[in-house]
Amino acid sequence: MSDVASGPESKTSKWSMVGKDPYAMPIEKIDLSHPGIWRANEFLPFMERLRSEEPVHYCPESAVGPYWSVMKYKDIMEVDTSPHIYSSEPTIGIVDSFEEFTLPAFISMDPPKHDEQRRVVQDVVAPANLKNLEGLIRQRVCTILDGLPIDEEFDWVERVSIELTTQMLATLFDFPFEDRSKLTFWSDAATAIPGGGIVSNQEERWEALQECFAYFIRLWNERVNEKSGNDLISMLAHGEATRDMPQEEYLGNIILLIVGGNDTTRNSISGGVLALNENPAEYDKLRADPGLIRNMVSEIIRWQTPLAHMRRTALVDTELGGKQIKAGEKVVMWYASGNRDEESIERANEFLIDRKNARQHLSFGFGLHRCMGNRLAEMQLTIVWEEIMKRFQKVEVVGEPERVYSSFVKGYMSLPVKLQPLD
Amino acid sequence: MVNIQFIEHDGSEHSVEVSTGGSVMQAAVTNGVPGIDADCGGSCSCATCHVYVNEEWLGKVGELSPTEEAMLSLSTDRKDNSRLSCQIQVTEELDGLVVTTPEFQF
């Protein structure tokens, strides 16, 4: 990954804000959509300035066109829960031309179609089904953790976060286990910006997605002729609301489930390790009372905010935070900012594993599009930390993490760590 | 004061006394009643304060708004007597209310 800086949008890009003083530029020039400041981990002060000076902010010019940024917790809540004003169609991606997000999927549909399609698949990640999966997840977590080297540097992202979430995804799809690394690659490729380290150009990206599509069409064709099973593909192939769905809609939903079930939890697993290393007093609290894990998991998910934003499109002329938004305009809810809003969350800029009301964060969104997999994510993270605490005194971060080149997927390409065993 | 009884999925009972004005969700959360998460803090934007209202009280807890109906419709264990407890206001009329919490909030 050493060549990521040579991507097409390095520091020299016209749009990059990397290295710039957030308070020295005209406020309309602030453009959170550009991935540079996210990879460079410089986004926080830009968000802070917008929250305090212009919480509903218009960026007239950017690489993705003009758009509104919604920065405050309460305003984000309003947008997220008003689908009749702020539509999820045609796409929830900030870039209009991202093909995979214009593939129809229920994340980018409004009611009633959204509700019908979501209902078909959500049982698989509902708590009643998760109870059956818990034992399997724990067994896999143990196998992964027991295979890690002690007192030797390795990449936590690759060995733990990716491995675990990919195994999980393979289980939910009943995807051939030996091919599971393909899921990771397809997930990364789906949201990748060419030149950002995953694929070098659009053609490569399309190739990856085509391979993914062909694979999943084959699986559909196999399962549609078998008895209905408990995996997501079988559920879609047999579900009343989905069995006649156009192929592109099926593929859109597959990409949604791959990205939704993979990148997000992966980055929260890595983000928790980093947060505890950056806040040693919190790590001490955790060692003193592992009973805090459940609460800590919510705090990790808030702190990481693995998806930095979601986009909506105004259906009608409307007003938000005193600003006039016109029908057709792009409205971006910055969850990563709302989760740091001191007006709604006490001591929002501190990582506190015993925080009160830790569950009240924006990372899963609210309203009809609230993250379907939120309980699965929490369960995976809880088990990971329970098993880590049984084995290791510390998962020590021993070098700088490398962050994803994206203003959407907020996460890590690598995180070098060393394990200290329990005394 | 108004008495509200929460019965957990496993049958454990919790009786709380609250003043009018708040919601049934708040009555549970401020009194440490387990089984209600209330992730959105009471704005009818998730479905994690789901309760089943005992039949005899159904006529007194008011109607579902379209938003509440929409959020509940995404719940996997929705029943005819399902409500989001943040949308039930505590009034004198509800003294003695009995609600059951589901096994899981989702």
Side-chain angles (χ1 to χ4, degrees):
Chain A
M1 296 299 154
S2 59
D3 61 347
V4 280
S6 63
E9 301 185 68
S10 58
K11 278 189 186 185
T12 52
S13 159
K14 168 184 173 193
W15 304 108
S16 177
M17 298 189 299
V18 174
K20 290 185 184 162
D21 177 353
Y23 288 90
M25 59 172 66
I27 200 157
E28 68 274 13
K29 292 280 180 201
I30 293 183
D31 171 18
L32 293 174
S33 75
H34 191 274
I37 49 168
W38 298 88
R39 179 171 60 190
N41 196 26
E42 294 176 10
F43 52 91
L44 283 173
F46 288 98
M47 297 198 310
E48 200 180 303
R49 182 176 177 205
L50 291 187
R51 268 199 311 277
S52 67
E53 294 178 28
E54 207 165 300
V56 178
H57 169 261
Y58 190 66
C59 177
E61 227 189 350
S62 82
V64 297
Y67 65 94
W68 291 94
S69 283
V70 185
M71 308 303 292
K72 304 277 289 181
Y73 189 103
K74 285 187 175 143
D75 292 333
I76 290 170
M77 199 78 163
E78 185 177 334
V79 173
D80 228 357
T81 56
S82 309
H84 52 292
I85 300 175
Y86 303 99
S87 171
S88 293
E89 299 178 5
T91 170
I92 50 86
I94 203 166
V95 190
D96 291 310
S97 61
F98 260 32
E99 314 89 326
E100 75 283 357
F101 287 123
T102 54
L103 276 176
F106 61 82
I107 196 173
S108 47
M109 285 175 189
D110 293 331
K113 206 168 175 194
H114 159 270
D115 307 13
E116 288 163 20
Q117 295 208 351
R118 173 174 168 146
R119 268 195 291 264
V120 175
V121 287
Q122 70 177 7
D123 279 0
V124 81
V125 286
N129 194 36
L130 295 185
K131 212 167 68 170
N132 306 324
L133 284 173
E134 183 175 349
L136 179 66
I137 297 178
R138 191 175 297 276
Q139 186 192 331
R140 287 187 177 159
V141 168
C142 292
T143 307
I144 290 170
L145 295 180
D146 289 337
L148 297 173
I150 300 291
D151 285 330
E152 182 188 306
E153 185 177 324
F154 67 93
D155 179 11
W156 183 262
V157 172
E158 184 197 337
R159 295 285 297 267
V160 182
S161 310
I162 289 184
E163 191 52 35
L164 179 66
T165 46
T166 306
Q167 287 188 10
M168 194 61 240
L169 201 56
T171 303
L172 293 180
F173 284 129
D174 194 13
F175 188 89
F177 212 62
E178 63 283 5
D179 276 351
R180 67 185 186 279
S181 66
K182 287 179 188 292
L183 289 170
T184 316
F185 175 58
W186 296 334
S187 173
D188 289 342
T191 55
I193 296 169
I198 305 286
V199 292
S200 42
N201 53 49
Q202 283 293 0
E203 288 70 46
E204 246 181 74
R205 221 172 123 260
W206 255 121
E207 251 172 59
L209 290 173
Q210 295 298 342
E211 185 199 11
C212 169
F213 296 162
Y215 204 111
F216 276 96
I217 289 168
R218 181 165 65 76
L219 291 180
W220 171 291
N221 290 337
E222 285 169 15
R223 302 220 174 135
V224 79
N225 295 317
E226 292 165 6
K227 249 180 57 193
S228 175
N230 284 327
D231 66 279
L232 282 164
I233 299 170
S234 184
M235 282 170 133
L236 289 171
H238 293 272
E240 205 170 310
T242 48
R243 66 183 174 217
D244 296 321
M245 60 165 50
Q247 193 167 73
E248 56 174 26
E249 215 164 278
Y250 163 63
L251 296 172
N253 281 317
I254 289 293
I255 291 287
L256 163 64
L257 295 166
I258 293 181
V259 175
N262 203 28
D263 279 6
T264 50
T265 310
R266 176 207 302 181
N267 289 319
S268 292
I269 293 174
S270 305
V273 170
L274 187 61
L276 286 168
N277 273 262
E278 287 172 345
N279 299 275
E282 299 304 300
Y283 213 150
D284 289 342
K285 271 189 212 167
L286 173 63
R287 276 185 286 257
D289 181 8
L292 289 170
I293 286 175
R294 217 163 261 279
N295 202 70
M296 175 181 80
V297 162
S298 290
E299 177 69 346
I300 287 173
I301 294 168
R302 176 187 76 94
W303 193 248
Q304 181 56 34
T305 319
L307 294 180
H309 73 259
M310 283 285 171
R311 170 250 175 110
R312 299 288 184 261
T313 304
L315 288 172
V316 291
D317 292 355
T318 189
E319 190 186 304
L320 184 70
K323 298 290 176 82
Q324 303 299 318
I325 296 174
K326 292 198 184 67
E329 287 181 333
K330 200 188 280 194
V331 179
V332 180
M333 299 174 284
W334 291 98
Y335 295 143
S337 168
N339 272 340
R340 298 292 190 109
D341 182 356
E342 302 273 0
E343 264 177 41
S344 294
I345 299 174
E346 211 178 308
R347 297 168 74 188
N349 287 289
E350 294 173 57
F351 174 75
L352 302 168
I353 67 169
D354 50 358
R355 169 181 295 285
K356 270 190 199 155
N357 301 324
R359 302 190 58 83
Q360 291 179 21
H361 60 72
L362 291 169
S363 300
F364 294 132
F366 281 112
L368 292 176
H369 290 279
R370 182 171 166 80
C371 174
M372 184 178 84
N374 72 82
R375 296 290 166 172
L376 173 60
E378 288 173 352
M379 189 172 91
Q380 290 188 80
L381 282 159
T382 301
I383 293 174
V384 165
W385 281 102
E386 284 171 355
E387 297 302 327
I388 287 174
M389 297 313 289
K390 284 180 199 162
R391 288 167 173 76
F392 310 118
Q393 178 66 16
K394 188 175 184 187
V395 182
E396 185 189 5
V397 175
V398 292
E400 278 298 304
E402 193 188 342
R403 290 178 162 81
V404 177
Y405 186 59
S406 170
S407 59
F408 180 58
V409 173
K410 185 166 165 289
Y412 310 91
M413 304 287 280
S414 63
L415 181 67
V417 300
K418 242 187 216 181
L419 296 177
Q420 298 170 10
L422 285 178
D423 298 330
Chain B
M1 297 295 270
V2 175
N3 176 271
I4 302 176
Q5 198 178 8
F6 295 89
I7 303 172
E8 288 186 70
H9 176 74
D10 66 4
S12 321
E13 295 179 9
H14 307 268
S15 182
V16 304
E17 302 283 332
V18 290
S19 42
T20 57
S23 68
V24 171
M25 176 279 280
Q26 284 165 332
V29 170
T30 53
N31 287 287
V33 174
I36 289 187
D37 290 334
D39 289 2
C40 78
S43 56
C44 199
S45 310
C46 64
T48 63
C49 66
H50 184 189
V51 295
Y52 303 117
V53 176
N54 267 28
E55 302 293 338
E56 65 208 77
W57 291 95
L58 273 175
K60 293 188 177 166
V61 292
E63 295 292 309
L64 279 81
S65 71
T67 309
E68 184 181 349
E69 179 62 51
M71 291 313 304
L72 271 173
S73 78
L74 295 178
S75 178
T76 45
D77 43 12
R78 167 87 198 261
K79 294 181 191 168
D80 289 343
N81 59 340
S82 286
R83 289 297 306 265
L84 295 181
S85 55
C86 73
Q87 299 302 300
I88 304 174
Q89 291 303 305
V90 176
T91 58
E92 295 290 351
E93 217 195 347
L94 292 188
D95 191 20
L97 174 70
V98 182
V99 299
T100 306
T101 49
E103 185 177 8
F104 308 105
Q105 294 289 353
F106 179 47

